[in-house]
Amino acid sequence: VRGGEPSMNPYLPEILKLASENFNEIYLETNGEWLLKKTEFNKLFKSCKANGVVVKISCDSMHATDPEELNRMVTRLQNYNIKYVIAVTEKNRKDFFSFVRTIPFINLNKIIFQKFAKTINEVMMESCVGVINYSGNYVSQVNSRFKK
């Protein structure tokens, strides 16, 4: 589940439940800011845990991801026993490893490299099931198991 910041959708906990009923693995791609809030997102935490969601925190040096905040995000996920990965988006592997050195508290097997996209064609990817559009509505794709 991705696009914009999915945690802003008030129906995200229900969407994750629906997705978990139809797929073996669900990833929630996020900037992770909601992980720093004390109570506002308790329902989302519970939904991630209950539905086996893997939280994929996107971060990079361009957006000045603060290592201390990232550490607090990961600690909260660990406290809730929620699976996670850290997706570091950089222009090249040198920049990737430079950023990774700033987060030594993250286990290396939890970090993945995402190459920075230079063009819109590199950014766009075909969804394997469908997308939730900007208004929060599910839009199925040709290869979706869901019906419109």
Side-chain angles (χ1 to χ4, degrees):
V1 178
R2 65 187 300 246
E5 177 49 45
S7 67
M8 301 307 292
N9 186 319
Y11 301 106
L12 185 58
E14 292 80 10
I15 292 167
L16 295 174
K17 182 178 183 334
L18 175 65
S20 73
E21 293 169 356
N22 293 280
F23 303 99
N24 296 328
E25 194 166 51
I26 306 299
Y27 283 79
L28 172 59
E29 188 168 337
T30 177
N31 64 20
E33 289 182 22
W34 62 276
L35 296 165
L36 301 173
K37 309 251 191 288
K38 291 289 181 197
T39 58
E40 187 178 340
F41 290 92
N42 281 342
K43 189 175 178 184
L44 182 52
F45 275 106
K46 290 176 184 175
S47 180
C48 287
K49 171 71 175 162
N51 296 301
V53 172
V54 179
V55 175
K56 180 182 174 188
I57 302 172
S58 298
C59 59
D60 53 47
S61 59
M62 181 180 79
H63 291 99
T65 301
D66 179 43
E68 286 304 313
E69 286 185 349
L70 184 59
N71 192 18
R72 289 194 348 251
M73 291 175 198
V74 167
T75 299
R76 284 206 75 195
L77 290 169
Q78 291 170 336
N79 289 343
Y80 276 84
N81 200 25
I82 295 172
K83 298 178 210 170
Y84 68 92
V85 294
I86 308 300
V88 179
T89 305
E90 293 294 349
K91 295 176 190 164
N92 54 53
R93 290 194 180 274
K94 179 184 175 207
D95 292 344
F96 166 77
F97 285 113
S98 179
F99 182 81
V100 168
R101 282 192 282 283
T102 70
I103 54 172
F105 48 85
I106 305 289
N107 189 322
L108 289 177
N109 69 356
K110 295 284 190 184
I111 302 172
I112 59 174
F113 171 71
Q114 290 187 151
K115 190 171 181 188
F116 182 79
K118 296 175 189 164
T119 67
I120 192 67
N121 289 335
E122 290 176 328
V123 173
M124 300 303 291
M125 60 183 247
E126 181 180 330
S127 60
C128 58
V129 175
V131 296
I132 297 169
N133 66 18
Y134 63 90
S135 61
N137 298 315
Y138 175 78
V139 180
S140 66
Q141 301 293 317
V142 175
N143 55 353
S144 173
R145 291 193 288 178
F146 292 104
K147 303 292 181 212
K148 285 188 179 181

